[in-house]
Amino acid sequence: SKATVSVLYCITHIMSLTKEQIKEAFNLFDADGSGAIDASEMGLVLKGLGFTDCSERDIQNIVKAIDSDGSGTVEYQEFENMVIMRMDKADSPDEIWKAYSLFDPDKSGRISFDDLKRVALMEDPSVGDDEIHRILNAVAEVPERGITFEEWKEVMNSLKRK
């Protein structure tokens, strides 16, 4: 489903992470520390990312898409393999648009301070307002209006060149 594709991208927007950072991302999803991400943990993460309309079936499909051994959960190696596999795909224009859309859930055409903060807090609960303002000031031509897709695309393409 469309939700599955978007969420899989969101999970893997972790585009150029080191193995240590991939492990940290996995640990965020694996809330109970069991070494595997189950459907209930995936559901909590999705809600935190703003995917409040994901059905149980969508969540099960997401887990199933990543779960290569059929255990019903996503173990670390499966998660890492999926992230590494998707890194190359993450630079396509379609993937850049999908990532932008995750930050702009209300489809306003701009990533606002609140949109940026919501996603940043998922990555790092200690992110402060000053840091969000610095990002907006660095990326947006008019920070008070938010980040447009063109501004987002420019930043993503410049990161690709580094």
Side-chain angles (χ1 to χ4, degrees):
S1 79
K2 193 174 185 179
T4 302
V5 171
S6 294
V7 171
L8 285 175
Y9 181 78
C10 186
I11 292 168
T12 60
H13 83 280
I14 322 164
M15 291 188 283
S16 56
L17 298 180
T18 64
K19 289 203 181 236
E20 181 180 304
Q21 291 168 318
I22 293 170
K23 182 67 174 165
E24 287 174 23
F26 177 82
N27 290 337
L28 286 174
F29 285 92
D30 180 21
D32 65 3
S34 68
I37 301 166
D38 62 23
S40 67
E41 290 168 320
M42 185 67 73
L44 290 173
V45 170
L46 298 179
K47 283 187 178 110
L49 291 171
F51 291 94
T52 55
D53 60 342
C54 278
S55 68
E56 285 297 316
R57 185 174 182 195
D58 287 335
I59 294 167
Q60 288 293 337
N61 286 338
I62 291 163
V63 170
K64 207 181 285 185
I66 303 169
D67 176 24
S68 62
D69 68 3
S71 66
T73 60
V74 177
E75 290 79 23
Y76 175 72
Q77 195 58 55
E78 293 167 325
F79 183 83
E80 181 184 73
N81 291 343
M82 183 262 315
V83 170
I84 290 169
M85 235 174 44
R86 300 228 357 131
M87 279 185 201
D88 291 336
K89 295 179 183 178
D91 293 335
S92 75
D94 188 47
E95 294 295 315
I96 291 172
W97 173 252
K98 286 178 188 175
Y100 179 82
S101 298
L102 293 171
F103 282 82
D104 182 28
D106 61 359
K107 309 284 186 253
S108 68
R110 299 203 177 255
I111 298 172
S112 69
F113 173 86
D114 290 336
D115 295 334
L116 195 55
K117 186 172 180 175
R118 174 182 52 81
V119 177
L121 287 172
M122 286 297 300
E123 292 293 319
D124 180 359
S126 68
V127 171
D129 288 358
D130 289 346
E131 200 166 342
I132 303 299
H133 282 295
R134 271 195 301 276
I135 294 168
L136 278 170
N137 289 331
V139 176
E141 189 174 312
V142 182
E144 302 76 38
R145 291 193 197 146
I147 301 169
T148 66
F149 177 66
E150 287 304 313
E151 292 165 337
W152 174 269
K153 188 168 67 173
E154 189 177 311
V155 168
M156 292 298 112
N157 287 329
S158 72
L159 290 173
K160 201 167 41 171
R161 291 188 289 270
K162 289 184 178 181

